[in-house]
Every structure is written in structure tokens, then in C-alpha cells.
Amino acid sequence: MNQADEKKTNVIPRNERLCKECNTVEDEYHFVCECSLYVDLRCKYIPAYYRQIPNMFKIIELLRTENTFTLKRLRTFIFKVFETRNIYNYTWNMKV
């Protein structure tokens, strides 16, 4: 089995990727726009235009932006969210 085939077998079906905080599907939209665990980080790093009344169009626009300042803030947001998520998941798993 090659590396690409291995990755395909390790894919978790979308409906099983649940956010432990919100108990809803944890997709990219939830990650960037909805999860209550990241409200403070979202307010700090994601421009208000994308946060206020979020929708899929705005998220696609954010992910496609060529604005260097916005990209750097998005990069920092994603990094900080993964740090927070890893700590949260670790402590959540300790409780279970």
C-alpha cells in the first residue's frame, strides 16, 4: 500500500468528525466561524468583516485573500487554534 492509499484509509467520515466543545461536525467552516472555543482568538485575529454575519462566501474570500496582513493574521489564528484545540482535546481525553 502506498502513502496516498494509506491516507485514504485513515480518513474519518465527515459526519464522525465531531467538535468536542460544540458536539457538531467539525469542518473548516465550524473551525473558522462557529466554534465557541475560539471566540477570543477569532476576535483577535480574524477581521470583523469575516466574523460578523459569517457565511461560506466570506470564508472562501478569506481563504483566497492576497492581502498579506490578513493572511498573516489568518496564519496566526490557525496556529493558535491548533494549540488551543490540542490542549482542550488532551484535557477532554483525560476526563473520559
Side-chain angles (χ1 to χ4, degrees), residues 20 83-96:
K20 291 178 175 132
E83 281 185 331
T84 303
R85 184 176 182 267
N86 289 339
I87 291 167
Y88 181 83
N89 285 342
Y90 176 78
T91 56
W92 189 85
N93 287 332
M94 296 297 284
K95 292 177 187 175
V96 175

Side-chain angles (χ1 to χ4, degrees), residues 13-75:
R14 183 180 186 278
N15 64 329
E16 293 178 19
R17 290 185 283 154
L18 296 180
C19 172
K20 291 178 175 132
E21 175 72 8
C22 305
N23 199 33
T24 188
V25 174
E26 186 179 44
D27 59 10
E28 293 81 359
Y29 185 82
H30 177 76
F31 189 82
V32 175
C33 297
E34 298 178 324
C35 187
S36 61
L37 192 60
Y38 315 127
V39 170
D40 293 340
L41 292 171
R42 196 174 295 116
C43 288
K44 186 172 183 178
Y45 295 108
I46 303 295
Y49 167 77
Y50 301 105
R51 285 184 284 118
Q52 296 169 347
I53 311 172
N55 59 53
M56 191 57 76
F57 175 77
K58 286 183 181 181
I59 296 311
I60 291 169
E61 187 179 356
L62 174 62
L63 296 174
R64 289 183 174 174
T65 188
E66 294 181 9
N67 180 300
T68 306
F69 179 75
T70 301
L71 281 173
K72 286 179 181 178
R73 294 181 68 84
L74 178 60
R75 175 194 66 199

